[in-house]
Amino acid sequence: MLTWPWIAFGLAFATAVVPFGSIELFVIGLVAQRPDIPFAAVGAVIAVGQVLGKLVHYYAALGVLRLPPLLRRAPRPGRAPGRVATWLKAATERARESPRWMAGIFCVSSVVGLPPFGATVLLAGVTRMRVELFLAIGLVGRFTRYCCLAAAPGVFGDVFF
């Protein structure tokens, strides 16, 4: 029988690789159903699953992994770049010029989620952020995010329920 850590890790990893659901809703549901689980344990399991799942995207953006054709977007010749492509190009140039800026943006994104963590993961790969730095910032930031989320029902439960 699978226990909560394995289910949580698997779901966190899967939703990081293919974002088909909200891991945040799972965390809230888990701690609401199982208030006996320490919030730090939930934060650690979910953070490790999420960061290892996003490592797939990081390596794809780095050019180490080749995505299956279904997940790759074919370039359209003769088409002007859209706003996202223009923003990504500007952000990539800025990140390459200032690695500290990239690390700061990645750190904020890993905790707050803005800019979207998935986008900053890709940017980290494109700008060739060191994998050690990617893992360290990602794990600490995601751990902080999910610990706060897991602790929220215990802290605010009496206020809202």
Side-chain angles (χ1 to χ4, degrees), residues 138-154:
L139 284 171
V140 170
R142 292 272 110 170
F143 175 74
T144 302
R145 176 183 179 89
Y146 294 120
C147 280
C148 290
L149 195 60

Side-chain angles (χ1 to χ4, degrees), residues 67-93:
L67 295 175
L70 180 66
L71 298 177
R72 277 186 273 148
R73 180 181 278 178
R76 296 181 184 171
R79 186 169 185 201
R83 287 192 315 222
V84 174
T86 304
W87 175 85
L88 184 60
K89 183 178 179 184
T92 302
E93 289 173 9

